[in-house]
Short mmCIF file of all heavy atoms in Angstrom, two decimals:
data_model
loop_
_atom_site.label_atom_id
_atom_site.label_comp_id
_atom_site.label_asym_id
_atom_site.label_seq_id
_atom_site.Cartn_x
_atom_site.Cartn_y
_atom_site.Cartn_z
N THR K 246 151.24 30.57 220.11
CA THR K 246 152.41 30.06 219.37
C THR K 246 153.20 29.07 220.22
O THR K 246 153.54 27.98 219.77
CB THR K 246 153.38 31.24 219.04
OG1 THR K 246 152.61 32.28 218.47
CG2 THR K 246 154.50 30.82 218.14
N LEU K 247 153.50 29.47 221.45
CA LEU K 247 154.36 28.64 222.28
C LEU K 247 153.63 27.41 222.82
O LEU K 247 154.20 26.32 222.88
CB LEU K 247 154.96 29.46 223.43
CG LEU K 247 156.04 30.46 222.99
CD1 LEU K 247 156.53 31.27 224.18
CD2 LEU K 247 157.22 29.76 222.32
N HIS K 248 152.38 27.59 223.19
CA HIS K 248 151.58 26.45 223.66
C HIS K 248 151.62 25.34 222.59
O HIS K 248 151.86 24.18 222.89
CB HIS K 248 150.14 26.94 223.90
CG HIS K 248 149.18 25.91 224.35
ND1 HIS K 248 149.22 25.34 225.62
CD2 HIS K 248 148.12 25.34 223.71
CE1 HIS K 248 148.23 24.46 225.72
NE2 HIS K 248 147.55 24.43 224.58
N GLU K 249 151.47 25.74 221.36
CA GLU K 249 151.47 24.77 220.26
C GLU K 249 152.88 24.23 219.97
O GLU K 249 153.06 23.04 219.73
CB GLU K 249 150.91 25.47 219.02
CG GLU K 249 150.35 24.51 218.00
CD GLU K 249 149.68 25.26 216.86
OE1 GLU K 249 148.82 26.13 217.14
OE2 GLU K 249 150.04 25.00 215.71
N LYS K 250 153.86 25.11 220.01
CA LYS K 250 155.24 24.70 219.73
C LYS K 250 155.72 23.70 220.79
O LYS K 250 156.36 22.69 220.47
CB LYS K 250 156.17 25.93 219.72
CG LYS K 250 157.58 25.61 219.29
CD LYS K 250 157.62 25.23 217.83
CE LYS K 250 158.94 24.60 217.42
NZ LYS K 250 158.87 24.00 216.06
N PHE K 251 155.41 23.97 222.06
CA PHE K 251 155.84 23.05 223.13
C PHE K 251 155.16 21.69 222.96
O PHE K 251 155.77 20.65 223.22
CB PHE K 251 155.55 23.65 224.52
CG PHE K 251 156.33 24.90 224.83
CD1 PHE K 251 155.85 25.84 225.74
CD2 PHE K 251 157.56 25.14 224.23
CE1 PHE K 251 156.58 27.00 226.04
CE2 PHE K 251 158.29 26.30 224.51
CZ PHE K 251 157.80 27.23 225.41
N GLU K 252 153.93 21.69 222.49
CA GLU K 252 153.25 20.41 222.23
C GLU K 252 153.96 19.66 221.11
O GLU K 252 154.19 18.45 221.20
CB GLU K 252 151.78 20.66 221.86
CG GLU K 252 151.04 19.37 221.55
CD GLU K 252 149.54 19.55 221.38
OE1 GLU K 252 149.00 20.59 221.81
OE2 GLU K 252 148.91 18.64 220.83
N GLU K 253 154.32 20.38 220.07
CA GLU K 253 155.04 19.75 218.95
C GLU K 253 156.35 19.16 219.46
O GLU K 253 156.72 18.04 219.10
CB GLU K 253 155.30 20.85 217.91
CG GLU K 253 155.87 20.39 216.61
CD GLU K 253 156.25 21.62 215.75
OE1 GLU K 253 155.43 22.56 215.62
OE2 GLU K 253 157.40 21.63 215.25
N LEU K 254 157.03 19.90 220.32
CA LEU K 254 158.32 19.43 220.84
C LEU K 254 158.16 18.23 221.78
O LEU K 254 158.98 17.32 221.76
CB LEU K 254 159.07 20.57 221.55
CG LEU K 254 159.59 21.68 220.63
CD1 LEU K 254 160.20 22.81 221.46
CD2 LEU K 254 160.61 21.16 219.61
N TYR K 255 157.10 18.21 222.60
CA TYR K 255 156.99 17.02 223.47
C TYR K 255 156.57 15.79 222.68
O TYR K 255 156.97 14.68 223.00
CB TYR K 255 156.19 17.26 224.75
CG TYR K 255 154.69 17.49 224.72
CD1 TYR K 255 153.81 16.54 224.23
CD2 TYR K 255 154.17 18.67 225.24
CE1 TYR K 255 152.43 16.77 224.25
CE2 TYR K 255 152.80 18.90 225.26
CZ TYR K 255 151.93 17.95 224.75
OH TYR K 255 150.58 18.18 224.77
N ASN K 256 155.79 16.00 221.60
CA ASN K 256 155.45 14.85 220.76
C ASN K 256 156.69 14.31 220.06
O ASN K 256 156.90 13.09 219.98
CB ASN K 256 154.38 15.24 219.73
CG ASN K 256 153.02 15.35 220.38
OD1 ASN K 256 152.72 14.65 221.35
ND2 ASN K 256 152.17 16.23 219.88
N GLU K 257 157.51 15.21 219.58
CA GLU K 257 158.76 14.81 218.92
C GLU K 257 159.68 14.10 219.94
O GLU K 257 160.26 13.06 219.64
CB GLU K 257 159.41 16.10 218.40
CG GLU K 257 160.74 15.95 217.72
CD GLU K 257 161.32 17.34 217.42
OE1 GLU K 257 160.89 17.96 216.43
OE2 GLU K 257 162.20 17.79 218.18
N THR K 258 159.76 14.66 221.14
CA THR K 258 160.60 14.07 222.19
C THR K 258 160.12 12.67 222.55
O THR K 258 160.92 11.75 222.75
CB THR K 258 160.59 14.98 223.44
OG1 THR K 258 161.10 16.25 223.07
CG2 THR K 258 161.42 14.41 224.58
N SER K 259 158.81 12.50 222.59
CA SER K 259 158.24 11.20 222.92
C SER K 259 158.66 10.13 221.90
O SER K 259 159.03 9.01 222.25
CB SER K 259 156.71 11.34 222.97
OG SER K 259 156.12 10.09 223.03
N GLU K 260 158.65 10.51 220.64
CA GLU K 260 159.07 9.56 219.59
C GLU K 260 160.55 9.23 219.69
O GLU K 260 160.97 8.09 219.53
CB GLU K 260 158.78 10.16 218.21
CG GLU K 260 157.32 10.03 217.83
CD GLU K 260 156.98 10.72 216.52
OE1 GLU K 260 157.88 10.88 215.67
OE2 GLU K 260 155.81 11.11 216.37
#
Side-chain angles (χ1 to χ4, degrees):
T246 311
L247 288 177
H248 179 71
E249 203 174 308
K250 186 68 193 169
F251 295 154
E252 179 171 343
E253 187 187 312
L254 291 175
Y255 69 62
N256 284 330
E257 178 187 282
T258 300
S259 169
E260 281 175 26

